[in-house]
């Protein structure tokens, strides 16, 4: 653009911000939002943009990775030795527990064979790294370093060493977005281990809190109850540890009880997580929508397949069809 | 016209920085403090160089932001268009506000933006996040003078050198 262009305000009539323009742009934004929210028409745009945003995410995550590396480099030797010793101890415990569990698993398969139950579908997991990128502080979504190319699919459950973290909601070629169970838009069907009561745990937007509304007064639930995923809805395999009931109180209408629970998983933004490959996925009806959030879990009457007991012994699987 | 090109670099750089800052991770407890960097940058350029920050640019910038944060496409566009429109309308007055008053005006703009976003999220059926929701405009207000003076300084530095 030749000619001196003043850096500051031009004195001539100001172009293109009349009310008509405003209305047009607002309408356009509205159309785009509806198209994105309702129809998912814009997946192509997102996929194309992912090629550009991917490298940027890596750049943004770099300082945090560098800091980690620097910390590892300067950490005191004795501290490392201490950490090492602690990990050895943990490993020992874990191995002992695994040994016991494999025995239980053997027994379980034998019993199932006796019952002529359909073969239990296994649970495979894959390690993925969380990326240090903050998408939106008011939404609990995390970027995962791994996408469609690594076999990650929308709807897969994600957990850390202690419990369920959330599920995959968006997959790009080499990245994916994980929604935490504490996101205000997330719900996970759960079961109280002690009583078998089934209900739904909603995210609250606070990292340490799940909300279980609308529990009948007659139901038996109290602080200290462990919650596991119930497997209803089909997105989460049954029996994964979810959280611990912290508080039970009557809700505002005083006709139901509301419980608050603390999730087991550390909802941190860094580190590594397990993405579960549920083999049921292959058996899923092709028409089953993959939208992970909302929707009553009962809408999908999947057989309540009890999950791999090997994942956690704190959650003895209580199949819905248990005799006695 | 290298002067022009230089100030174009500042323009592009400030926008790129805003996009990056909006993604940089903060400690979890400080997450809600993060100001709407894109909004602040749009306010600055609409105020100082309106020929560069029309409603169309604001819209495109919003799309870029949405693609980057993986949010609802069009959400930030709508917010930025609203901000740009208000600033462009009140520009002749806001430019001559003393700094504290200008910072307050920015806080009001960002607060309005928060309200707009709350409405949009409510339409999408998301829960309200509580009082922390309203903190970020105040941080934006505190950041405004530094950003304004910094960018002004950068731009005036370039001017005499090229003259």
């Amino acid at each position: 653009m030749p000619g001196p262009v003043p850096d500051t305000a031009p004195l001539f009539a100001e172009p293109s911000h009349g009310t008509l323009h405003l209305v047009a742009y607002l309408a356009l934004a509205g159309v785009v939002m509806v198209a994105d929210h309702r129809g998912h028409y814009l997946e192509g745009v997102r996929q194309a943009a992912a090629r550009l945003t991917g490298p940027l995410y890596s750049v943004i995550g770099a300082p945090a990775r560098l800091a980690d590396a620097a910390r590892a480099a300067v950490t005191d030797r004795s501290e490392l030795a201490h950490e090492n010793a602690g990990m050895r101890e943990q490993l020992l415990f874990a191995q002992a527990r695994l040994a016991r569990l494999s025995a239980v698993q053997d027994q379980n398969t034998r019993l199932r064979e006796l019952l002529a139950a359909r073969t239990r579908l296994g649970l495979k997991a894959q390690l993925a790294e969380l990326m240090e990128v903050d998408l939106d502080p008011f939404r609990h979504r995390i970027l995962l370093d791994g996408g469609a190319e690594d076999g990650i699919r929308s709807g897969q459950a994600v957990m850390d060493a202690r419990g369920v973290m959330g599920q995959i909601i968006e997959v790009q070629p080499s990245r994916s977005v994980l929604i935490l169970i504490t996101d205000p838009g997330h719900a996970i069907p759960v079961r109280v281990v002690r009583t078998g009561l089934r209900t739904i745990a909603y995210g609250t937007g606070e990292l340490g809190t799940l909300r279980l509304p609308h529990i009948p007064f007659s139901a038996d639930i109290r602080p200290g109850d462990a919650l596991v995923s119930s497997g209803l809805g089909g997105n989460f395999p049954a029996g994964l540890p979810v959280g611990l009931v912290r508080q039970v109180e009557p809700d505002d209408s005083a006709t139901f009880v509301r419980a608050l629970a603390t999730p087991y998983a550390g909802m941190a933004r860094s580190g590594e997580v397990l993405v579960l490959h549920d083999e049921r996925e292959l058996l899923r009806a092709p028409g089953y929508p993959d939208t992970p959030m909302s929707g009553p879990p009962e809408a999908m009457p999947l057989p309540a397949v009890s999950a791999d007991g090997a994942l956690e012994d704190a959650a003895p699987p209580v199949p819905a069809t248990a005799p006695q | 016209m290298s002067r022009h090109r230089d100030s174009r670099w500042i323009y592009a750089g400030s926008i790129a920085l805003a996009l990056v800052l909006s993604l940089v991770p903060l400690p979890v407890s400080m997450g809600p403090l993060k100001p709407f960097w894109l909004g602040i940058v749009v306010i600055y350029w609409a105020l100082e160089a309106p020929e560069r920050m029309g409603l169309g640019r604001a819209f495109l910038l919003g799309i870029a932001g949405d693609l980057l944060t993986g949010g609802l496409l069009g959400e930030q566009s709508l917010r930025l268009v609203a901000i740009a429109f208000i600033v462009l309308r009140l520009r002749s007055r806001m430019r001559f506000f003393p700094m504290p008053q200008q910072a307050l005006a920015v806080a009001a703009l960002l607060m309005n933006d928060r309200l707009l976003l709350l409405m949009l999220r409510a339409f999408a059926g998301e829960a309200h996040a509580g009082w922390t929701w309203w903190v970020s405009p105040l941080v934006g207000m505190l950041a405004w003078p530094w950003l304004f003076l910094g960018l002004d300084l950068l731009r005036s530095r370039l001017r005499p050198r090229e003259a």
Side-chain angles (χ1 to χ4, degrees), chain A residues 110-185:
Chain A
R110 252 182 295 122
L111 289 174
R112 277 181 176 276
E113 274 162 18
L114 282 178
L115 286 169
R118 49 186 286 185
T119 38
R120 188 176 54 72
L121 295 163
L123 209 57
K124 283 195 296 189
Q126 165 187 3
L127 216 56
E129 202 170 334
L130 300 177
M131 298 185 72
E132 296 242 15
V133 171
D134 182 14
L135 296 181
D136 182 341
F138 287 96
R139 282 180 166 153
H140 296 176
R141 295 177 192 191
I142 302 182
L143 214 58
L144 273 187
D145 194 8
E149 286 160 6
D150 308 293
I152 292 179
R153 301 274 168 275
S154 180
Q156 282 181 332
V158 176
M159 62 186 297
D160 72 359
R162 282 173 288 177
V164 177
M165 278 185 87
Q167 57 183 313
I168 305 287
I169 50 166
E170 194 187 314
V171 183
Q172 295 164 0
S174 60
R175 309 233 142 42
S176 48
V177 179
L178 155 69
I179 181 170
L180 298 181
I181 52 176
T182 50
D183 184 284

Side-chain angles (χ1 to χ4, degrees), chain B residues 28-105:
Chain B
V28 173
S29 54
M30 281 166 63
L33 298 183
K34 183 189 283 187
F36 185 27
W37 289 114
L38 272 181
I40 297 176
V41 166
V42 164
I43 295 176
Y44 178 83
W45 288 108
L47 210 56
E48 291 294 299
E51 72 279 358
R52 285 201 178 140
M53 189 48 77
L55 299 185
R57 288 266 177 92
F59 185 87
L60 290 179
L61 204 52
I63 293 282
D66 283 329
L67 285 176
L68 220 49
T69 56
L72 185 60
L73 219 52
E75 189 182 85
Q76 293 191 45
S77 293
L78 194 141
R79 293 161 65 195
L80 292 180
V81 166
I83 287 181
F85 179 78
I86 299 173
V87 175
L88 290 172
R89 269 298 160 94
L90 301 180
R91 192 175 156 263
S92 43
R93 256 175 276 174
M94 261 183 84
R95 286 195 74 203
F96 300 106
F97 281 171
M99 182 47 81
Q101 202 180 344
Q102 210 175 47
L104 274 180

Side-chain angles (χ1 to χ4, degrees), chain A residues 9 36 46 57 134 136 269, chain B residues 23 26 68 71 73 91 121:
Chain A
D36 192 27
R46 278 185 193 282
Y57 289 147
D134 182 14
D136 182 341
R269 218 168 19 203
Chain B
L23 285 173
L26 292 175
L68 220 49
L73 219 52
R91 192 175 156 263
R121 294 266 162 104

Side-chain angles (χ1 to χ4, degrees), chain A:
Chain A
M1 197 193 277
V5 179
D7 264 344
T8 48
L11 290 173
F12 45 78
E14 293 169 292
S16 86
H17 44 83
T19 316
L20 201 63
H21 280 94
L22 173 73
V23 172
Y25 278 120
L26 291 188
L28 185 58
V31 168
V32 171
M33 273 190 282
V34 171
D36 192 27
H37 189 62
R38 291 279 158 196
H40 303 281
Y41 295 122
L42 301 172
E43 274 318 300
V45 180
R46 278 185 193 282
Q47 297 296 343
R51 285 177 210 294
L52 295 174
T53 53
L56 189 60
Y57 289 147
S58 315
V59 171
I60 291 168
R65 279 201 304 277
L66 256 172
D68 273 355
R71 194 189 68 87
V74 301
T75 310
D76 204 17
R77 215 185 116 82
S78 68
E79 203 174 311
L80 279 179
H82 185 71
E83 201 176 302
N84 200 343
M87 282 179 166
R88 263 173 211 282
E89 202 171 306
Q90 275 182 8
L91 185 66
L92 210 64
F93 274 121
Q95 268 170 348
R97 211 165 63 177
L98 265 181
R100 206 181 86 224
L101 278 171
S102 69
V104 171
Q105 203 175 1
D106 281 351
Q107 189 184 32
N108 194 356
T109 35
R110 252 182 295 122
L111 289 174
R112 277 181 176 276
E113 274 162 18
L114 282 178
L115 286 169
R118 49 186 286 185
T119 38
R120 188 176 54 72
L121 295 163
L123 209 57
K124 283 195 296 189
Q126 165 187 3
L127 216 56
E129 202 170 334
L130 300 177
M131 298 185 72
E132 296 242 15
V133 171
D134 182 14
L135 296 181
D136 182 341
F138 287 96
R139 282 180 166 153
H140 296 176
R141 295 177 192 191
I142 302 182
L143 214 58
L144 273 187
D145 194 8
E149 286 160 6
D150 308 293
I152 292 179
R153 301 274 168 275
S154 180
Q156 282 181 332
V158 176
M159 62 186 297
D160 72 359
R162 282 173 288 177
V164 177
M165 278 185 87
Q167 57 183 313
I168 305 287
I169 50 166
E170 194 187 314
V171 183
Q172 295 164 0
S174 60
R175 309 233 142 42
S176 48
V177 179
L178 155 69
I179 181 170
L180 298 181
I181 52 176
T182 50
D183 184 284
H186 191 269
I188 172 173
V190 294
R191 182 166 55 77
V192 177
V193 173
R194 187 172 53 85
T195 60
L197 172 75
R198 282 162 204 270
T199 178
I200 299 176
Y202 294 90
T204 56
E206 285 168 53
L207 277 179
T209 307
L210 295 170
R211 190 168 47 93
L212 291 76
H214 310 308
I215 302 171
F217 264 110
S218 56
D220 182 13
I221 185 167
R222 57 181 181 232
D225 276 346
L227 300 172
V228 297
S229 58
S230 71
L232 290 174
N235 271 321
F236 292 95
L240 304 180
V242 173
L244 202 64
V245 175
R246 186 174 72 206
Q247 184 187 346
V248 178
E249 61 191 11
D251 71 3
D252 299 332
S253 69
T255 42
F256 289 101
V257 171
R258 172 174 58 197
L260 297 180
T262 312
Y264 285 128
M267 301 290 176
R269 218 168 19 203
S270 57
E272 281 174 331
V273 294
L274 288 172
V275 180
L276 303 185
H277 285 257
D278 193 347
E279 285 173 15
R280 266 179 304 173
E281 214 168 62
L282 306 173
L283 306 178
R284 216 176 247 173
Y288 181 69
D290 253 20
T291 45
M293 299 176 288
S294 73
E298 290 82 4
M300 186 63 191
L302 273 174
V305 185
S306 83
D308 203 351
L311 274 168
E312 181 74 73
D313 62 343
V318 184
T321 54
Q324 288 111 29

